[in-house]
Amino acid sequence: MSDSFDVVVIGGGPAGYPAAIRAAQNKLSVACIDEWKNLDGAFAFGGTCLNAGCIPSKALLESSELYHRVHDEFAVHGIKASGVSLDLGQMQKRKAGIVKTMTQGILALFKAAGVTALQGHGKLLPDHRVEYTAHDGTRRELTAKNVILASGSAPTELRSAPFDGKRIVDSWGALEFNAVPKKLGVIGAGVIGLELGSVWRRLGSEVVVLEALPDFLAIADQQLAKEALRHLKKQGLDIRLGAKVTAASLLSMDAVRSARCLARE
Ligand SMILES: Cc1cc2nc3c(=O)[nH]c(=O)nc-3n(C[C@H](O)[C@H](O)[C@H](O)COP(=O)(O)OP(=O)(O)OC[C@H]3O[C@@H](n4cnc5c(N)ncnc54)[C@H](O)[C@@H]3O)c2cc1C
């Protein structure tokens, strides 16, 4: 395999993988490097969006909406449904299946376009060089006429509520709960916090959203924000504005067992 490319893309998320495909379609030799590892140990392209963001969250939003409707809305329409219960394991399995299909689709697109897919860590070096370390530790030095850095972002940890992977989790952790938390605190009423708060509320959690800013969705169109706030409150989200989290601590063993806290990205 050649170690010399017209373009090397570091990062195979929604920024990196289309750039790699487009460059290859324009007859350039392209490699795309990505180090993403999923919780089951599988390596995947697609970045946050496909593996731990847009796609899995939309899958859970759809499932939780159906559950919520059958539970809370059918009766109003004169539809009687009995014996309805939640199978969270199946819901998570469906979500994982969608993620897998979509991330594997990227490999198929790479193959069709002629992009060299490299799974592992990419490091930019001087003089148009990139160091590629495969997941098995093997290193190669690539040369590239052009390098595209599309390394994305990672959730930010709050000093006042550091992640512990159990009770205080980031957005990825909040997509992976294997039981519906009795209580869920969401730090940050941004789109991600609201989306995930909504999923777990619909599935039965008591959800409190804490937002430091005094305004709801301050950067959005305010008419839309007002409508969204009304809708989310009706759904049962307890949204508290102007509430800055200064510390996180355990209240009681009961609270420990049931409470989880989602720190914002
Ligand atoms: C729960 C949730 C829901 C979201 N929903 C939406 C939505 O509905 N609509 C929307 O537009 N956006 C949504 N987003 C945001 C969206 O996921 C991001 O905007 C998007 O993923 C950014 O794409 P990116 O390619 O820049 O970065 P990323 O998706 O983060 O991809 C970067 C990739 O680079 C790789 N990488 C980083 N450094 C290296 C390195 N040195 N070597 C090799 N690989 C490296 C990473 O492994 C990763 O795969 C959501 C996010 C979350 C968390």
Side-chain angles (χ1 to χ4, degrees), residues 11 13-15 34-36 47-49 53-54 58 120-122 150-152 192 195:
D34 198 292
E35 66 186 358
W36 190 279
T48 304
C49 183
C54 332
K58 299 311 169 288
H121 185 75
S151 52
I192 293 171
E195 193 170 77

